[in-house]
Amino acid sequence: LPFREWWRNVDVRRATLAKVVLEVFFGFMVIFVPIYLHSTLGFSWAELGIIFTVALLPFVFFELPIGELADHFFGEKEIMSLGFFITGMSLLAMPFLGKSFVIWMLLLFLSRVGASFIEITTESYFFKKISVADTGLLSIFRLARPASIIMATISGTLLLSLFSMEKLFFLLAIIVLLGLRESLYLKDSR
């Protein structure tokens, strides 16, 4: 059974759980943050277009060089942990921001710098830990994205009925920092 094998393979399980945390972050940020910035803080959709364009640049510029650094110098564990730390700290700062175009753009950019570190290193680490015969483990890893986006959507919607959006940033930061815990316990791939 793939789930039994997945559970027994601690490094694969931790890499998958780190991926789940990243995808929950993505799901939450894609759905709820634009609504918050537009409806609560009053940014126009044109401003949000610029903010999110800049915020997504780390995925273009950092993933290849970070992957190379992880392969040749630092290892995935260290860079993944740094990514979780950067993303978590960025989230902790968000509830305190008012309507400042440049600061929101920079903070969302910084959060995506961390997310880009996590994305490339979870993928790289996972594929170093499986073989071509591990299709069941690969299926579980690939299910992390849709399952996490569904979790983020449902839980975010329910939690918004109980808490303000600012408090949800704190909850998401806690979730991201749980991802840091998973990455810190990985065995080095180098």
Side-chain angles (χ1 to χ4, degrees), residues 178-189:
L178 289 173
L180 174 62
R181 179 187 175 276
E182 294 300 326
S183 67
L184 289 172
Y185 285 109
L186 291 171
K187 274 191 227 142
D188 261 322
S189 60

Side-chain angles (χ1 to χ4, degrees), residues 99-112:
K99 185 180 178 182
S100 173
F101 179 83
V102 172
I103 293 175
W104 269 103
M105 186 169 53
L106 291 174
L107 201 55
L108 288 172
F109 177 86
L110 187 61
S111 71
R112 284 2 181 252

Side-chain angles (χ1 to χ4, degrees), residues 9-184:
N9 190 329
V10 176
D11 288 327
V12 167
R13 186 178 75 225
R14 289 191 186 285
T16 305
L17 292 174
K19 174 85 167 167
V20 165
V21 168
L22 176 66
E23 297 298 340
V24 165
F25 166 80
F26 284 153
F28 183 87
M29 296 302 275
V30 166
I31 296 166
F32 298 104
V33 172
I35 295 168
Y36 173 72
L37 293 178
H38 179 69
S39 300
T40 304
L41 295 184
F43 284 104
S44 71
W45 290 113
E47 290 173 313
L48 292 179
I50 296 167
I51 289 172
F52 287 113
T53 299
V54 171
L56 293 174
L57 291 176
F59 297 106
V60 176
F61 294 122
F62 295 131
E63 288 198 5
L64 180 63
I66 290 299
E68 293 290 323
L69 286 172
D71 282 342
H72 301 295
F73 298 105
F74 299 110
E76 287 86 4
K77 173 183 175 174
E78 292 78 10
I79 295 175
M80 189 187 309
S81 298
L82 177 62
F84 277 117
F85 180 78
I86 291 169
T87 303
M89 293 303 110
S90 300
L91 286 166
L92 287 175
M94 288 179 189
F96 302 106
L97 298 179
K99 185 180 178 182
S100 173
F101 179 83
V102 172
I103 293 175
W104 269 103
M105 186 169 53
L106 291 174
L107 201 55
L108 288 172
F109 177 86
L110 187 61
S111 71
R112 284 2 181 252
V113 168
S116 70
F117 289 12
I118 300 164
E119 186 170 62
I120 192 63
T121 55
T122 54
E123 295 276 334
S124 177
Y125 188 89
F126 177 82
F127 284 105
K128 286 180 180 178
K129 296 295 180 179
I130 65 167
S131 70
V132 293
D134 293 324
T135 55
L137 296 177
L138 179 59
S139 295
I140 292 169
F141 188 74
R142 288 292 172 229
L143 283 172
R145 172 170 280 162
S148 301
I149 291 172
I150 291 168
M151 285 190 312
T153 305
I154 293 170
S155 61
T157 303
L158 292 174
L159 289 170
L160 270 176
S161 65
L162 301 171
F163 303 108
S164 68
M165 186 66 178
E166 291 82 7
K167 287 190 178 69
L168 289 188
F169 283 118
F170 290 123
L171 291 172
L172 186 58
I174 291 167
I175 291 168
V176 167
L177 293 174
L178 289 173
L180 174 62
R181 179 187 175 276
E182 294 300 326
S183 67
L184 289 172

